[in-house]
Amino acid sequence: MDNYKKLQDILSEIFEIDKADLDFGIYRIMNQKREQVLDFINKQLPKETKDILAQTAQSDSAALQKELDDMGKQLDDLGVVKEDNAKYISLKAKIEQQDTTALEQDVFSHLATFFKRYYKEGDFISMRRYKKDVYAIPYEGEEVKLHWANADQYYIKTSEYLKNYNFKLGADKLVQFQLKEASTEQNNNKAQGDQERRFAIFEETPIEVSEDGNTLFVNFTYEPHKKSVKQTDLTAQAIKAIQENLPPAFADICANGSAATESNKNRTLLDKHLNDFISRNSFDYFIHKDLGGFLNRELDFYIKNEVLYIDDIDTENPQHFLPFLGKVKAIKTVAQKIIVFLAQIEDFQKKLWLKKKLVISTDYCITLDKIPETYYQEITENKAQLAEWITLFGVTVKTVDDLKDEPYLVLDTKFFSQDFKDRLLAEFDNLDEETDGLLINSENFQALNLLQEKYKEKIKGIYIDPPYNAKSSEILYKNTFKHSSWLSFIFDRIYNSKVFLNSKNGVFNIAIDENEQEVLGQILSQLFENYNKTCVTIIHNASGQQGENFSYTNEYSYFLYPQNGKFIGFENRPIEDADIRGLRDVTGEDSKREAAKNCFYPIFVREGNIIGFGDVCPDDFHPKMNEVLEQNIIAIYPIDPQGIERKWRFARQTIESIKNQLKVNFIKNRNVYDIQRIKTEFNFKTVWTDSKYFANNQGTQILNNIVGKDLFSFPKSIYTVFDSLKAIEFGVKNPIYLDYFAGSGTTGHATIKLNREDGGKRKYILVEMGAYFNTVTKPRIQKVIYTDNWKNGKPQDTQGISQMFKYQVLESYEDVLNNLKLGISQAKQDLFSEEEKTAQEYLLKYMLDVESKDQLFNMKCSAILLPTN
């Protein structure tokens, strides 16, 4: 294989030409331009390389000819026969035999080496070689530098396509894999119980053929299987079932070697495409933030270190160095054209990724107490709504009177006509203000991008519980950079969410376990440069997670909050654990009145209750411990049993802030009143050990009682989130909380629970991409609105809370990409094709932007299959 063939193969892989049979995502986009891309790789690049080297060779020949002429003149002047001179003969032969073929092969070899170095399985990875097995990282003089392989890329968490996958067979046949039954799971969702979703052949009807006989449909299921059931085994069973039922007209898909590789000479087309179909639902990928800049910097580095060697410079005869300059020029010119093209494709994907996604649907869930009774008759006639109430709450509604008896049943507007929705929502004077929560079914990066303008600096607290990268719920990445991928994944999402925090008092809180805790801490220090950072240890599994050496009983929770001030709230302890002590200082010189004059003042009591505080007493005023005033008021002073004037522990200017902690204590044997401080509020400790934080008892069991068993694994204890929110809400009466890894909805549940306790109006924003948005997250919120007391999926009372929340579905990145169709008018096509240079510039720089312009915000192109309950 010559060096250009190597380069062609690498470029075909990078430009996805080797995936011509894939009909989704960027593959489909590139396939639409397959001919132009192949022309660029196979014709334009080698031609330009040859032209550049030919120009260099021509320049070299002119210089060498001048050198030959000068040498001939010198030999003639000396009377030497130049045709007999060895140097003259050698130089003349060099001019006559000059050939750029070897130089071309060298250029192609370097180009192949360079582009292969930075590309792996669909992603461009920063692997700058400083020397053999040594890499260089970007460094700008920081005191401490945290770097990871994917630091300059967006982590793209795909949704599971679960859509048509088809490939051509011969000239007129088509094979299509399709799902007959599927339950989806997205966003690196935690495994559900002892089960994971797998692809398997649809045993009832494994194969179908279209009426015209030209399309073969292979039917699959995508359903939970026990973890012990391997996908490879199910794939083998599917292949066997297909072979046994395959019509003769499609026999070629099972022909040995029809899709052979070096490692698998017998691979069939069926093996290949079935593997692609399954794999594309198993891995995620990346989009480079500045691929053009990155590759150009790396190209300069590569040329200086691996092409242009200092020893090659012949200072005695600069002409001999000219061929090296020609090689460098050819490498750089050709490589830069490839880079421009690659950057166009990558930037196009980046634009689609960063584009604010359209809202596909919006609905509301509203408790009946908020809905005028004039709507009740229509509601009782809506069979879908009535059926959901039976499913969710076990409540059967038949008449309007039934509705009047159930004020906290949650109506879902998705079951009603647009006219009904419009009329109902018009009943609210300020819909946004009266809405208690917002649930968004979307990839969280996209949701954060959409919400930024509306909620900028309006969030008091962010609480998130992201995927942990633990072995029990390990995230599958397509490359081997497991930790680097996780860091890219979490970095951009935290970075995007910072703008939501109130700049004066906002608090960020993130849960994590031991797998990524150390590096997460470094990322948080980088992102929250002027914040305090505290890492709290939470005992969430007292029995421990058994391991080879240590048994982990804890996880971690990072709190990031502004410097210089009180921003974290208090822990509330039960009265039996209260700190009870006298308000009066009792011993030592520092406890006496003269040590702090503003701590000597009366506390007024009537009928055993504190009714107020007097002014600081003058120095010459010396009262008794208890002074009886008018209207049965007693003034209590900090005087001890020996009559020594002491001081209260709090100055007059601060005592009223703890009034709710003070209690009047009558000392019977001395017949006097004194003041006690009963403290139940304390600063949170950095180790939380209470059993209420145990994830199994207060997380899994509570969730199972609400929505049923095995629908979601590893939910947080409701009290872990409850206390976290209490900690981060300090200083704001009715804060807004944001959780963009909503999972089972614990943050929403905790917010509602807090409001139940004190009548507050806290609000919540939950973002979740997983399919369990409709089976766990949203139903959980609906149910805990109706009551907070559930057992085996049934309500134990009807002590509800008045609520209304909005929920939305956003268009996904894959929807945008898969629905795009490149198109250009004939007039523009003719214009761009008139001149070869213009045509190439259009192909390399502008093609994707120009031809997709009319479709990026086309609602028709964004239609998707909406999820249902």
Side-chain angles (χ1 to χ4, degrees):
M1 180 186 292
D2 64 23
N3 290 335
Y4 190 68
K5 181 62 170 66
K6 292 179 182 178
L7 177 60
Q8 284 178 309
D9 291 344
I10 291 167
L11 293 181
S12 292
E13 180 186 356
I14 293 175
F15 283 107
E16 315 290 2
I17 297 302
D18 62 329
K19 299 178 178 66
D21 47 5
L22 298 184
D23 187 31
F24 62 91
I26 195 64
Y27 308 122
R28 184 176 57 80
I29 299 295
M30 293 310 299
N31 284 337
Q32 292 182 47
K33 295 297 176 182
R34 179 179 173 82
E35 290 184 9
Q36 293 97 315
V37 175
L38 285 173
D39 181 73
F40 172 71
I41 294 173
N42 297 332
K43 295 180 181 178
Q44 296 179 40
L45 286 185
K47 180 179 181 299
E48 292 196 19
T49 305
K50 292 177 185 291
D51 289 345
I52 294 167
L53 293 175
Q55 292 171 12
T56 303
Q58 187 176 2
S59 176
D60 294 346
S61 296
L64 291 173
Q65 185 62 51
K66 185 177 183 304
E67 184 181 350
L68 182 68
D69 294 342
D70 291 343
M71 183 185 295
K73 186 175 183 303
Q74 290 175 5
L75 291 172
D76 288 341
D77 292 344
L78 293 171
V80 177
V81 179
K82 57 189 176 185
E83 285 78 6
D84 295 336
N85 183 274
K87 287 186 177 181
Y88 184 87
I89 295 170
S90 174
L91 186 56
K92 186 176 181 180
K94 185 176 182 179
I95 295 172
E96 294 172 349
Q97 297 174 4
Q98 195 168 29
D99 184 10
T100 63
T101 302
L103 201 54
E104 286 176 20
Q105 289 301 309
D106 196 20
V107 168
F108 295 147
S109 176
H110 277 295
L111 289 170
T113 299
F114 173 75
F115 284 106
K116 185 176 179 62
R117 175 169 297 181
Y118 295 100
Y119 185 81
K120 183 177 182 181
E121 297 179 13
D123 297 320
F124 289 92
I125 306 295
S126 180
M127 286 187 160
R128 174 182 286 191
R129 274 131 171 111
Y130 177 72
K131 57 184 179 180
K132 181 175 173 57
D133 298 327
V134 178
Y135 298 91
I137 66 170
Y139 178 66
E140 298 176 359
E142 301 91 340
E143 182 181 357
V144 177
K145 173 72 173 181
L146 175 65
H147 177 75
W148 59 96
N150 305 107
D152 48 6
Q153 298 172 357
Y154 292 110
Y155 169 85
I156 310 302
K157 172 61 207 170
T158 66
S159 63
E160 289 164 324
Y161 292 101
L162 305 182
K163 298 176 182 176
N164 292 344
Y165 178 104
N166 49 59
F167 61 94
K168 291 181 179 179
L169 186 65
D172 60 348
K173 295 282 191 296
L174 186 72
V175 179
Q176 179 170 307
F177 298 155
Q178 60 182 11
L179 292 176
K180 286 294 187 181
E181 295 179 9
S183 57
T184 64
E185 184 174 36
Q186 304 167 338
N187 199 28
N188 284 327
N189 302 319
K190 300 168 184 176
Q192 305 302 299
D194 189 36
Q195 295 188 323
E196 288 181 349
R197 288 165 176 78
R198 305 270 192 258
F199 286 94
I201 197 71
F202 183 58
E203 295 181 358
E204 185 177 329
T205 314
I207 283 177
E208 296 175 280
V209 178
S210 63
E211 291 184 5
D212 60 10
N214 291 329
T215 302
L216 176 71
F217 298 100
V218 183
N219 299 321
F220 290 89
T221 64
Y222 186 59
E223 300 289 348
H225 291 260
K226 289 196 173 188
K227 290 182 180 178
S228 57
V229 178
K230 303 300 181 186
Q231 180 63 67
T232 51
D233 294 336
L234 293 174
T235 303
Q237 293 172 20
I239 290 173
K240 182 179 178 182
I242 294 168
Q243 290 172 335
E244 290 175 350
N245 294 275
L246 190 65
F250 293 89
D252 287 350
I253 68 169
C254 292
N256 275 349
S258 52
T261 64
E262 290 186 12
S263 60
N264 186 358
K265 303 295 185 185
N266 295 321
R267 189 175 74 152
T268 67
L269 279 172
L270 179 60
D271 293 333
K272 173 195 178 328
H273 289 292
L274 187 51
N275 181 65
D276 287 350
F277 174 60
I278 293 170
S279 296
R280 75 174 185 175
N281 291 286
S282 304
F283 299 106
D284 306 320
Y285 59 98
F286 298 86
I287 294 176
H288 208 288
K289 295 177 180 178
D290 179 21
L291 183 61
F294 165 71
L295 287 178
N296 275 308
R297 290 191 298 272
E298 297 307 301
L299 178 64
D300 287 345
F301 186 87
Y302 177 85
I303 289 173
K304 291 171 185 175
N305 286 274
E306 301 191 35
V307 179
L308 194 59
Y309 296 103
I310 200 73
D311 292 341
D312 291 333
I313 302 176
D314 186 347
T315 55
E316 293 184 1
N317 193 347
Q319 301 296 335
H320 291 171
F321 185 60
L322 288 176
F324 291 103
L325 292 180
K327 178 169 71 174
V328 169
K329 181 180 179 182
I331 292 172
K332 190 161 187 175
T333 302
V334 175
Q336 284 178 334
K337 287 182 180 292
I338 297 171
I339 290 171
V340 167
F341 200 176
L342 291 173
Q344 180 196 177
I345 298 168
E346 199 79 357
D347 289 347
F348 177 69
Q349 294 183 81
K350 183 177 76 171
K351 181 170 74 171
L352 299 185
W353 175 247
L354 296 178
K355 167 182 120 48
K356 283 184 168 55
K357 301 303 180 285
L358 299 172
V359 177
I360 300 301
S361 68
T362 298
D363 277 291
Y364 288 80
C365 285
I366 310 169
T367 50
L368 289 179
D369 68 309
K370 288 180 173 287
I371 299 175
E373 292 184 4
T374 53
Y375 291 86
Y376 282 14
Q377 184 59 46
E378 285 182 79
I379 294 171
T380 60
E381 295 169 359
N382 190 305
K383 293 181 180 179
Q385 179 64 87
L386 301 185
E388 184 184 65
W389 284 339
I390 294 173
T391 301
L392 288 181
F393 311 113
V395 173
T396 300
V397 171
K398 294 182 179 179
T399 68
V400 168
D401 288 337
D402 292 337
L403 293 183
K404 293 177 182 179
D405 293 336
E406 293 282 358
Y408 301 117
L409 277 179
V410 182
L411 177 139
D412 192 337
T413 62
K414 76 173 183 178
F415 295 119
F416 294 84
S417 68
Q418 190 61 49
D419 172 68
F420 179 92
K421 284 192 242 186
D422 292 341
R423 285 187 286 115
L424 176 58
L425 297 179
E427 299 285 349
F428 298 92
D429 295 331
N430 189 331
L431 192 58
D432 269 359
E433 184 62 31
E434 295 182 63
T435 299
D436 300 285
L438 171 62
L439 276 61
I440 299 182
N441 190 194
S442 165
E443 200 281 336
N444 50 19
F445 186 96
Q446 307 299 338
L448 292 172
N449 197 25
L450 182 69
L451 294 173
Q452 278 188 2
E453 291 183 16
K454 182 171 183 178
Y455 290 99
K456 183 178 181 181
E457 290 207 14
K458 291 184 179 179
I459 303 298
K460 176 59 172 76
I462 295 175
Y463 176 89
I464 57 172
D465 176 24
Y468 284 174
N469 234 359
K471 289 182 179 179
S472 60
S473 56
E474 189 167 287
I475 302 167
L476 294 175
Y477 298 108
K478 109 176 129 176
N479 60 42
T480 57
F481 301 120
K482 171 183 171 181
H483 298 288
S484 172
S485 299
W486 188 89
L487 285 170
S488 287
F489 161 67
I490 203 68
F491 182 91
D492 285 325
R493 284 151 181 81
I494 296 177
Y495 177 83
N496 270 20
S497 69
K498 267 189 66 181
V499 70
F500 293 100
L501 284 176
N502 185 297
S503 58
K504 295 180 180 179
N505 58 17
V507 180
F508 181 88
N509 183 200
I510 178 172
I512 197 65
D513 74 351
E514 72 280 358
N515 289 283
E516 304 291 354
Q517 179 258 335
E518 291 182 3
V519 289
L520 174 62
Q522 295 180 62
I523 276 186
L524 294 174
S525 295
Q526 182 177 334
L527 287 170
F528 294 87
E529 188 175 356
N530 297 315
Y531 281 65
N532 288 316
K533 180 182 72 175
T534 298
C535 184
V536 172
T537 297
I538 301 176
I539 307 302
H540 71 123
N541 179 7
S543 60
Q545 190 175 20
Q546 301 307 313
E548 194 170 3
N549 294 298
F550 289 97
S551 178
Y552 284 96
T553 62
N554 68 289
E555 60 183 8
Y556 304 92
S557 188
Y558 277 104
F559 288 82
L560 287 300
Y561 47 96
Q563 296 174 347
N564 304 319
K566 174 69 175 174
F567 298 101
I568 299 298
F570 297 101
E571 173 190 8
N572 292 309
R573 296 182 189 171
I575 190 67
E576 58 267 23
D577 295 329
D579 180 6
I580 303 175
R581 62 181 68 185
L583 184 66
R584 168 175 43 84
D585 268 353
V586 291
T587 60
E589 293 299 313
D590 289 341
S591 72
K592 292 184 177 180
R593 174 179 179 176
E594 53 267 27
K597 294 182 180 181
N598 62 345
C599 291
F600 193 86
Y601 52 85
I603 297 177
F604 300 129
V605 173
R606 183 168 56 198
E607 297 178 358
N609 297 310
I610 296 172
I611 61 172
F613 304 89
D615 295 332
V616 173
C617 299
D619 291 344
D620 59 355
F621 177 68
H622 302 285
K624 297 177 182 179
M625 182 178 180
N626 290 175
E627 296 277 354
V628 180
L629 308 178
E630 296 178 355
Q631 299 176 342
N632 297 322
I633 296 174
I634 300 174
I636 302 175
Y637 294 90
I639 299 173
D640 71 12
Q642 288 74 41
I644 300 173
E645 293 180 346
R646 304 287 181 177
K647 64 182 180 64
W648 298 123
R649 297 178 189 273
F650 285 79
R652 178 62 185 86
Q653 64 266 26
T654 59
I655 186 64
E656 294 190 43
S657 67
I658 64 161
K659 181 182 177 182
N660 65 332
Q661 300 177 16
L662 303 180
K663 180 185 177 184
V664 179
N665 181 37
F666 179 69
I667 304 173
K668 189 174 182 180
N669 62 344
R670 292 173 49 211
N671 195 32
V672 295
Y673 288 94
D674 202 357
I675 302 296
Q676 288 181 326
R677 183 189 182 194
I678 302 176
K679 185 180 179 183
T680 57
E681 287 187 338
F682 298 85
N683 284 343
F684 279 96
K685 294 182 178 180
T686 54
V687 179
W688 296 5
T689 59
D690 197 291
S691 60
K692 67 182 179 179
Y693 303 126
F694 293 177
N696 183 47
N697 296 344
Q698 306 300 337
T700 301
Q701 290 184 23
I702 285 178
L703 182 63
N704 288 349
N705 275 324
I706 296 172
V707 298
K709 291 184 178 180
D710 300 326
L711 291 178
F712 188 91
S713 297
F714 313 121
K716 275 281 184 292
S717 160
I718 181 67
Y719 297 103
T720 298
V721 182
F722 184 93
D723 280 356
S724 296
L725 299 185
K726 284 287 289 181
I728 66 182
E729 78 175 12
F730 181 80
V732 175
K733 187 176 181 181
N734 289 311
I736 303 175
Y737 300 121
L738 168 63
D739 182 355
Y740 48 91
F741 287 95
S744 68
T746 310
T747 301
H749 184 174
T751 305
I752 293 169
K753 193 175 186 70
L754 282 165
N755 287 336
R756 258 199 176 92
E757 290 200 354
D758 61 12
K761 291 292 291 181
R762 302 167 183 84
K763 297 189 177 188
Y764 49 92
I765 302 173
L766 309 179
V767 179
E768 179 52 57
M769 181 180 182
Y772 49 77
F773 178 91
N774 291 291
T775 58
V776 179
T777 315
K778 177 172 163 270
R780 180 180 189 175
I781 302 303
Q782 290 171 284
K783 286 190 166 194
V784 299
I785 287 171
Y786 185 72
T787 177
D788 202 31
N789 188 6
W790 291 83
K791 186 175 182 180
N792 298 325
K794 296 179 180 180
Q796 301 303 294
D797 59 47
T798 57
Q799 302 301 309
I801 184 171
S802 181
Q803 285 272 295
M804 172 167 60
F805 68 83
K806 176 167 68 174
Y807 66 98
Q808 297 179 313
V809 178
L810 301 189
E811 137 188 82
S812 74
Y813 169 70
E814 289 80 18
D815 291 319
V816 177
L817 193 56
N818 287 329
N819 289 315
L820 277 177
K821 293 182 180 179
L822 300 186
I824 186 172
S825 68
Q826 189 59 49
K828 287 183 180 178
Q829 184 66 55
D830 293 341
L831 178 64
F832 292 134
S833 303
E834 284 179 0
E835 203 267 328
E836 184 178 342
K837 184 177 180 181
T838 304
Q840 186 185 90
E841 188 171 3
Y842 169 73
L843 175 71
L844 301 186
K845 294 183 179 180
Y846 308 113
M847 173 189 69
L848 293 175
D849 275 342
V850 170
E851 299 190 21
S852 66
K853 185 177 180 181
D854 295 334
Q855 288 195 306
L856 285 182
F857 294 95
N858 188 332
M859 278 297 292
K860 291 181 180 178
C861 289
S862 301
I864 62 171
L865 206 58
L866 295 181
T868 63
N869 280 342

